[in-house]
Amino acid sequence: RMDSLPEAVLIRILASIPAVDLVLACRLVCCQWKNLVDGAALWIGLAGAECEENAENWQNFYFLSKKRKNLIKNPCGEEDLQHWGEVENGGDGWKVEELPGDFGKEFPSEEVHKYFVTSYEWCRKAQVIDLRAEGYWEELMDTTQPKVVIKDWYAGRSDAGCLYELCVKLLSENEDVLAEYKSETVAIPQDSDADWTEISHTFSNYGPGVRFVRFEHGGQDTLFWKGWYGVRVTNSSVTVEP
């Protein structure tokens, strides 16, 4: 009989079951199983080397650690403009180019090979991330309120000046704005070093109700040259973290 097994043995058995099944099925079997699934010992074992001594909710910590991934699709232009909506194509519009590009620099990571580049009038593009569709359920977002970490990379050319902006919003079910981060308008001068710069922001303690993340960035050149002399962006990311 399962209920006669020592707790340590039962924890080892439960640890072999997929985490989603532990939460959605096993914890409903009986009070003992619910207490084990809701307790720290099982999840500390599952988290292994990723565990943190001060984690308040091991179950959520485990899910957030294992599910951590970039929620932005096509962040580096490998699929042209696919997955990017609400595209504003000022001037000659957005273009995807190979790194390092004319009068540009290589990206700090060898895994990034392309970037998006803007033109002589404002170019903007956005993605809206459905957190529930990505596996972050309502109770998790409302109660735990995990960190939502935003990162983006931008650069200019060494022969042309440009502008860059980033705006990220946390939205409710009805797409009301619950929290917002908007960068200043970054001006990169002509004759810059063309180095890539990372910009980041972390949302925390944002309150209940967050269901979507809207990520938007863009820019233009400041010389109004025909073609693609504006800001370059790549390796954008949105992650939900413990």
Side-chain angles (χ1 to χ4, degrees):
R1 289 171 55 86
M2 294 287 285
D3 56 8
S4 65
L5 292 175
E7 187 173 282
V9 175
L10 187 52
I11 286 175
R12 292 187 63 181
I13 294 172
L14 291 173
S16 66
I17 297 172
V20 173
D21 293 333
L22 286 174
V23 175
L24 299 182
C26 293
R27 71 187 300 272
L28 304 180
V29 170
C30 63
C31 290
Q32 182 190 22
W33 285 32
K34 179 181 183 299
N35 291 335
L36 291 177
V37 173
D38 289 346
L42 172 62
W43 299 99
I44 291 173
L46 289 172
E50 298 179 1
C51 67
E52 293 183 354
E53 292 182 2
N54 296 324
E56 294 181 1
N57 186 315
W58 285 100
Q59 185 183 117
N60 289 346
F61 174 78
Y62 174 82
F63 272 103
L64 292 168
S65 297
K66 294 299 183 181
K67 286 182 65 63
R68 187 184 302 169
K69 65 176 182 178
N70 186 4
L71 301 178
I72 292 285
K73 296 178 174 62
N74 186 28
C76 304
E78 297 291 345
E79 302 173 76
D80 197 39
L81 284 171
Q82 188 173 348
H83 303 297
W84 291 95
E86 304 178 45
V87 177
E88 180 180 342
N89 280 309
D92 288 321
W94 286 96
K95 185 182 179 183
V96 175
E97 295 181 343
E98 297 275 350
L99 280 158
D102 294 340
F103 296 91
K105 294 281 187 69
E106 289 287 356
F107 192 77
S109 169
E110 294 181 356
E111 297 178 356
V112 178
H113 306 289
K114 295 183 178 182
Y115 59 84
F116 303 92
V117 58
T118 60
S119 190
Y120 59 87
E121 292 179 352
W122 271 98
C123 298
R124 293 182 175 88
K125 58 187 177 70
Q127 281 192 38
V128 177
I129 298 163
D130 184 336
L131 294 171
R132 285 177 299 190
E134 296 291 345
Y136 301 99
W137 59 96
E138 288 92 336
E139 183 182 359
L140 176 70
M141 297 305 302
D142 294 346
T143 304
T144 302
Q145 294 179 33
K147 292 180 291 186
V148 179
V149 181
I150 311 300
K151 296 182 180 179
D152 200 19
W153 288 81
Y154 64 88
R157 297 167 56 114
S158 60
D159 65 339
C162 60
L163 303 175
Y164 164 83
E165 287 183 358
L166 171 66
C167 181
V168 184
K169 300 176 180 179
L170 304 186
L171 306 176
S172 70
E173 177 74 29
N174 298 321
E175 300 193 6
D176 297 320
V177 178
L178 302 181
E180 179 177 7
Y181 169 75
K182 187 172 184 179
S183 73
E184 62 180 358
T185 300
V186 179
I188 303 174
Q190 191 175 6
D191 301 323
S192 73
D193 56 16
D195 284 337
W196 286 92
T197 299
E198 183 185 49
I199 184 171
S200 65
H201 178 75
T202 299
F203 291 98
S204 60
N205 300 318
Y206 39 76
V210 172
R211 300 293 179 263
F212 301 95
V213 180
R214 185 182 186 278
F215 180 105
E216 177 185 296
H217 61 183
Q220 68 171 94
D221 80 56
T222 53
L223 299 175
F224 304 100
W225 288 349
K226 183 173 176 58
W228 297 274
Y229 293 86
V231 71
R232 300 165 170 184
V233 295
T234 196
N235 206 37
S236 311
S237 67
V238 174
T239 56
V240 179
E241 303 184 5

